[in-house]
Amino acid sequence: MELVEVIMTEHTPESVADTAESLIESFGKTPIRCKMDISSFIVNWLMRPYGEGPAWMAYRGEHSFEEIDSAMKYKKGFPMGPFELADFTGGIQIRVEGEQDHLEDDCPMSYDTEVCPLLHQLYEKERYGRKADAGFYEYDERDEPQISVDAGQEFDTLLVWAPIVNEAAKMVENDVASVEDIDTGARLGGNWPMGPSRRPTRSVPTSPSKN
């Protein structure tokens, strides 16, 4: 991976972070600076709303897994939709088993919201994702879910983008990271088509791109 996050704490001199970034660049990598020791740091801080908002939409019956994944993957150019990504990374298990620690965390900007009940329901059924042959999707012998290109054509991707933009703004407001580093982290760490500071527009149907 090209990206490396440099994490600072209140004990980290600026000169140490500068030296670390110079070393990273000498390896041919791209550093970004997280100026505060927050939970998940920069890239994964953005990943949380990418998965959490869609989970609540599905739990409330507003949109299906396939509808949201199709829109983010084929209309907006993300490598995976939020549900496909969670199944790939084991996100259901990670979020549920880490919930209490996050709620009790007293670090700056700690998470203070409970995990969507949908994730608890899947967890209790041991649907942890690909490694368990079932998560949001069924897998069995298939390596990846079958997501229709057309399923998400009517879905407004701003419903997913808006919470991400809010969290990016929160990082800037609290001097956790710069706008440029947040966008770079999203593109290089998440392989997103753009960073959250670039104003997203309402999506229009497009032909699928190869991922």
Side-chain angles (χ1 to χ4, degrees):
M1 182 175 287
E2 182 179 341
L3 184 79
V4 180
E5 291 197 42
V6 176
I7 317 301
M8 298 182 68
T9 73
E10 66 271 25
H11 306 295
T12 309
E14 197 83 15
S15 59
V16 172
D18 290 341
T19 300
E21 290 183 355
S22 296
L23 180 63
I24 290 163
E25 289 172 344
S26 74
F27 296 151
K29 305 291 185 179
T30 300
I32 59 174
R33 186 175 301 196
C34 186
K35 295 181 280 187
M36 187 183 299
D37 186 13
I38 65 169
S39 178
S40 302
F41 313 128
I42 297 172
V43 177
N44 283 328
W45 186 274
L46 297 176
M47 287 293 185
R48 186 174 185 268
Y50 183 62
E52 195 76 0
W56 280 100
M57 284 186 268
Y59 176 69
R60 294 191 294 260
E62 297 167 355
H63 300 282
S64 69
F65 306 150
E66 186 181 12
E67 183 182 5
I68 297 172
D69 277 357
S70 175
M72 300 309 295
K73 187 171 183 176
Y74 297 123
K75 289 170 64 177
K76 300 308 290 185
F78 282 71
M80 294 184 184
F83 299 107
E84 183 183 7
L85 179 63
D87 278 356
F88 182 76
T89 60
I92 294 169
Q93 189 173 11
I94 291 170
R95 290 287 291 115
V96 171
E97 293 183 359
E99 178 179 25
Q100 200 59 39
D101 286 342
H102 282 308
L103 291 174
E104 295 174 357
D105 189 358
D106 59 358
C107 289
M109 293 177 58
S110 58
Y111 298 137
D112 58 359
T113 56
E114 295 181 352
V115 172
C116 177
L118 175 59
L119 274 66
H120 282 280
Q121 294 169 4
L122 295 171
Y123 180 83
E124 289 168 5
K125 297 176 182 177
E126 298 184 348
R127 295 177 64 103
Y128 303 139
R130 288 193 193 186
K131 63 183 179 182
D133 294 329
F136 291 107
Y137 297 99
E138 300 282 350
Y139 291 92
D140 298 324
E141 300 301 318
R142 291 186 288 110
D143 290 332
E144 52 187 63
Q146 295 177 341
I147 299 171
S148 166
V149 174
D150 298 325
Q153 290 302 314
E154 301 302 319
F155 179 77
D156 185 356
T157 56
L158 280 178
L159 295 173
V160 177
W161 264 117
I164 296 170
V165 172
N166 286 342
E167 291 303 320
K170 188 187 298 182
M171 280 195 280
V172 174
E173 181 182 15
N174 287 276
D175 198 29
V176 173
S178 68
V179 170
E180 294 76 18
D181 279 357
I182 293 170
D183 280 0
T184 298
R187 289 186 296 100
L188 299 184
N191 200 23
W192 289 6
M194 63 181 181
S197 72
R198 177 180 171 185
R199 184 177 182 272
T201 57
R202 291 188 178 274
S203 304
V204 293
T206 59
S207 58
S209 58
K210 297 184 77 174
N211 290 285

